[in-house]
Short mmCIF file of all heavy atoms in Angstrom, two decimals:
data_model
loop_
_atom_site.label_atom_id
_atom_site.label_comp_id
_atom_site.label_asym_id
_atom_site.label_seq_id
_atom_site.Cartn_x
_atom_site.Cartn_y
_atom_site.Cartn_z
N ASP H 6 4.69 -10.25 0.53
CA ASP H 6 5.83 -11.14 0.71
C ASP H 6 5.72 -11.73 2.12
O ASP H 6 6.11 -11.10 3.10
CB ASP H 6 7.15 -10.38 0.54
CG ASP H 6 8.34 -11.31 0.54
OD1 ASP H 6 8.28 -12.41 1.10
OD2 ASP H 6 9.38 -10.91 -0.04
N ASN H 7 5.19 -12.93 2.22
CA ASN H 7 4.98 -13.55 3.52
C ASN H 7 6.30 -13.83 4.25
O ASN H 7 6.37 -13.72 5.47
CB ASN H 7 4.20 -14.85 3.37
CG ASN H 7 2.74 -14.63 3.02
OD1 ASN H 7 2.23 -13.52 3.13
ND2 ASN H 7 2.08 -15.70 2.60
N ALA H 8 7.33 -14.19 3.51
CA ALA H 8 8.62 -14.49 4.12
C ALA H 8 9.22 -13.27 4.82
O ALA H 8 9.91 -13.41 5.84
CB ALA H 8 9.59 -15.03 3.07
N ARG H 9 8.99 -12.10 4.28
CA ARG H 9 9.49 -10.86 4.86
C ARG H 9 8.45 -10.14 5.72
O ARG H 9 8.74 -9.07 6.25
CB ARG H 9 9.98 -9.92 3.76
CG ARG H 9 11.19 -10.41 3.02
CD ARG H 9 11.63 -9.42 1.94
NE ARG H 9 12.82 -9.87 1.24
CZ ARG H 9 14.06 -9.62 1.62
NH1 ARG H 9 14.28 -8.88 2.70
NH2 ARG H 9 15.08 -10.06 0.91
N ASN H 10 7.26 -10.72 5.84
CA ASN H 10 6.19 -10.10 6.58
C ASN H 10 5.94 -8.67 6.12
O ASN H 10 5.73 -7.76 6.94
CB ASN H 10 6.46 -10.13 8.09
CG ASN H 10 6.35 -11.54 8.67
OD1 ASN H 10 5.54 -12.35 8.22
ND2 ASN H 10 7.15 -11.82 9.68
N THR H 11 5.93 -8.48 4.82
CA THR H 11 5.84 -7.15 4.26
C THR H 11 4.81 -7.09 3.13
O THR H 11 4.75 -7.99 2.28
CB THR H 11 7.20 -6.68 3.72
OG1 THR H 11 8.16 -6.73 4.78
CG2 THR H 11 7.10 -5.25 3.20
N LEU H 12 4.01 -6.06 3.16
CA LEU H 12 3.06 -5.75 2.10
C LEU H 12 3.56 -4.53 1.35
O LEU H 12 4.02 -3.56 1.96
CB LEU H 12 1.68 -5.46 2.69
CG LEU H 12 0.54 -5.19 1.72
CD1 LEU H 12 0.09 -6.49 1.05
CD2 LEU H 12 -0.63 -4.51 2.43
N TYR H 13 3.45 -4.54 0.03
CA TYR H 13 3.94 -3.46 -0.80
C TYR H 13 2.81 -2.86 -1.64
O TYR H 13 1.85 -3.53 -1.99
CB TYR H 13 5.02 -3.93 -1.76
CG TYR H 13 6.24 -4.54 -1.09
CD1 TYR H 13 6.35 -5.91 -0.94
CD2 TYR H 13 7.26 -3.74 -0.63
CE1 TYR H 13 7.44 -6.47 -0.34
CE2 TYR H 13 8.37 -4.29 -0.02
CZ TYR H 13 8.46 -5.66 0.12
OH TYR H 13 9.56 -6.21 0.72
N LEU H 14 2.97 -1.60 -1.96
CA LEU H 14 2.12 -0.95 -2.95
C LEU H 14 3.04 -0.21 -3.93
O LEU H 14 3.67 0.78 -3.56
CB LEU H 14 1.13 0.03 -2.30
CG LEU H 14 0.14 0.68 -3.27
CD1 LEU H 14 -0.81 -0.37 -3.83
CD2 LEU H 14 -0.64 1.79 -2.59
N GLN H 15 3.10 -0.72 -5.13
CA GLN H 15 3.90 -0.09 -6.19
C GLN H 15 3.00 0.88 -6.95
O GLN H 15 1.98 0.47 -7.50
CB GLN H 15 4.48 -1.16 -7.11
CG GLN H 15 5.41 -2.13 -6.42
CD GLN H 15 5.83 -3.29 -7.29
OE1 GLN H 15 5.11 -3.70 -8.20
NE2 GLN H 15 7.01 -3.82 -7.02
N MET H 16 3.38 2.13 -6.97
CA MET H 16 2.57 3.18 -7.58
C MET H 16 3.33 3.82 -8.72
O MET H 16 4.47 4.26 -8.54
CB MET H 16 2.18 4.23 -6.54
CG MET H 16 1.50 3.66 -5.31
SD MET H 16 0.96 4.95 -4.16
CE MET H 16 2.55 5.59 -3.65
N SER H 17 2.72 3.91 -9.86
CA SER H 17 3.30 4.56 -11.02
C SER H 17 2.29 5.49 -11.66
O SER H 17 1.11 5.45 -11.33
CB SER H 17 3.79 3.51 -12.03
OG SER H 17 2.71 2.75 -12.54
N SER H 18 2.78 6.32 -12.58
CA SER H 18 1.92 7.29 -13.25
C SER H 18 1.09 8.08 -12.25
O SER H 18 -0.12 8.28 -12.41
CB SER H 18 1.01 6.60 -14.26
OG SER H 18 1.76 5.89 -15.23
N LEU H 19 1.75 8.53 -11.20
CA LEU H 19 1.06 9.21 -10.12
C LEU H 19 0.45 10.52 -10.58
O LEU H 19 1.01 11.23 -11.43
CB LEU H 19 2.01 9.44 -8.94
CG LEU H 19 2.29 8.19 -8.11
CD1 LEU H 19 3.54 8.39 -7.27
CD2 LEU H 19 1.10 7.85 -7.24
N LYS H 20 -0.70 10.83 -10.00
CA LYS H 20 -1.43 12.04 -10.31
C LYS H 20 -1.62 12.87 -9.04
O LYS H 20 -1.59 12.32 -7.94
CB LYS H 20 -2.82 11.69 -10.87
CG LYS H 20 -2.80 10.76 -12.08
CD LYS H 20 -4.22 10.36 -12.46
CE LYS H 20 -4.22 9.43 -13.66
NZ LYS H 20 -5.60 9.01 -14.04
N PRO H 21 -1.82 14.16 -9.18
CA PRO H 21 -2.05 14.98 -7.99
C PRO H 21 -3.21 14.48 -7.13
O PRO H 21 -3.15 14.59 -5.90
CB PRO H 21 -2.36 16.36 -8.58
CG PRO H 21 -1.59 16.40 -9.85
CD PRO H 21 -1.69 14.99 -10.40
N GLU H 22 -4.22 13.90 -7.73
CA GLU H 22 -5.35 13.39 -6.97
C GLU H 22 -5.02 12.13 -6.16
O GLU H 22 -5.84 11.67 -5.37
CB GLU H 22 -6.56 13.10 -7.88
CG GLU H 22 -6.23 12.29 -9.11
CD GLU H 22 -6.01 13.15 -10.35
OE1 GLU H 22 -5.30 14.16 -10.26
OE2 GLU H 22 -6.56 12.80 -11.41
N ASP H 23 -3.82 11.57 -6.35
CA ASP H 23 -3.35 10.47 -5.51
C ASP H 23 -2.80 10.96 -4.18
O ASP H 23 -2.49 10.15 -3.31
CB ASP H 23 -2.27 9.66 -6.24
CG ASP H 23 -2.80 8.94 -7.47
OD1 ASP H 23 -3.91 8.39 -7.41
OD2 ASP H 23 -2.08 8.93 -8.49
N THR H 24 -2.63 12.25 -4.02
CA THR H 24 -2.11 12.82 -2.79
C THR H 24 -3.01 12.46 -1.62
O THR H 24 -4.20 12.74 -1.64
CB THR H 24 -1.99 14.33 -2.91
OG1 THR H 24 -1.02 14.65 -3.92
CG2 THR H 24 -1.54 14.95 -1.59
N ALA H 25 -2.42 11.84 -0.60
CA ALA H 25 -3.19 11.39 0.56
C ALA H 25 -2.25 10.75 1.57
O ALA H 25 -1.09 10.48 1.28
CB ALA H 25 -4.26 10.37 0.15
N MET H 26 -2.79 10.50 2.76
CA MET H 26 -2.13 9.63 3.72
C MET H 26 -2.51 8.20 3.39
O MET H 26 -3.71 7.90 3.27
CB MET H 26 -2.53 9.99 5.14
CG MET H 26 -1.81 9.18 6.21
SD MET H 26 -0.08 9.67 6.43
CE MET H 26 -0.29 11.24 7.30
N TYR H 27 -1.53 7.35 3.21
CA TYR H 27 -1.78 5.97 2.85
C TYR H 27 -1.59 5.05 4.06
O TYR H 27 -0.57 5.15 4.76
CB TYR H 27 -0.84 5.53 1.72
CG TYR H 27 -1.26 6.06 0.38
CD1 TYR H 27 -1.14 7.40 0.06
CD2 TYR H 27 -1.82 5.19 -0.58
CE1 TYR H 27 -1.57 7.88 -1.17
CE2 TYR H 27 -2.23 5.67 -1.80
CZ TYR H 27 -2.10 7.01 -2.10
OH TYR H 27 -2.52 7.48 -3.31
N TYR H 28 -2.54 4.17 4.28
CA TYR H 28 -2.56 3.29 5.44
C TYR H 28 -2.54 1.83 5.01
O TYR H 28 -3.23 1.44 4.06
CB TYR H 28 -3.81 3.51 6.29
CG TYR H 28 -3.94 4.89 6.87
CD1 TYR H 28 -4.60 5.90 6.18
CD2 TYR H 28 -3.40 5.20 8.11
CE1 TYR H 28 -4.72 7.17 6.70
CE2 TYR H 28 -3.52 6.46 8.65
CZ TYR H 28 -4.19 7.44 7.95
OH TYR H 28 -4.32 8.70 8.47
N CYS H 29 -1.78 1.05 5.72
CA CYS H 29 -1.77 -0.38 5.57
C CYS H 29 -2.74 -0.98 6.58
O CYS H 29 -2.86 -0.50 7.71
CB CYS H 29 -0.36 -0.92 5.83
SG CYS H 29 -0.19 -2.71 5.81
N ALA H 30 -3.46 -2.03 6.19
CA ALA H 30 -4.43 -2.65 7.08
C ALA H 30 -4.49 -4.15 6.85
O ALA H 30 -4.12 -4.64 5.80
CB ALA H 30 -5.82 -2.03 6.85
N ALA H 31 -4.98 -4.86 7.88
CA ALA H 31 -5.06 -6.31 7.80
C ALA H 31 -6.27 -6.80 8.58
O ALA H 31 -6.77 -6.13 9.48
CB ALA H 31 -3.79 -6.94 8.36
N THR H 32 -6.74 -8.00 8.24
CA THR H 32 -7.86 -8.60 8.93
C THR H 32 -7.79 -10.12 8.82
O THR H 32 -7.26 -10.66 7.86
CB THR H 32 -9.20 -8.10 8.36
OG1 THR H 32 -10.28 -8.65 9.12
CG2 THR H 32 -9.36 -8.52 6.90
N THR H 33 -8.32 -10.77 9.84
CA THR H 33 -8.48 -12.22 9.80
C THR H 33 -9.88 -12.61 9.33
O THR H 33 -10.17 -13.79 9.20
CB THR H 33 -8.22 -12.84 11.17
OG1 THR H 33 -9.08 -12.24 12.15
CG2 THR H 33 -6.76 -12.63 11.59
N ARG H 34 -10.71 -11.63 9.09
CA ARG H 34 -12.06 -11.85 8.61
C ARG H 34 -12.07 -12.07 7.11
O ARG H 34 -11.05 -11.87 6.43
CB ARG H 34 -12.95 -10.66 8.99
CG ARG H 34 -13.00 -10.40 10.48
CD ARG H 34 -13.63 -9.07 10.81
NE ARG H 34 -15.03 -9.02 10.42
CZ ARG H 34 -15.84 -7.99 10.67
NH1 ARG H 34 -15.38 -6.92 11.32
NH2 ARG H 34 -17.10 -8.03 10.27
#
């Protein structure tokens, strides 16, 4: 959402193997 300067990750049907630290990242490349 560029207007809100926000990136989202919608996660469903989560599994134990999804357990982790989640990081947001960006690049101009």
Side-chain angles (χ1 to χ4, degrees):
D6 188 336
N7 288 346
R9 294 180 178 271
N10 289 327
T11 303
L12 183 75
Y13 301 96
L14 184 67
Q15 299 172 332
M16 305 184 294
S17 63
S18 302
L19 284 162
K20 306 174 180 180
E22 50 263 45
D23 294 319
T24 296
M26 184 73 75
Y27 283 72
Y28 298 90
C29 175
T32 184
T33 56
R34 302 168 65 176

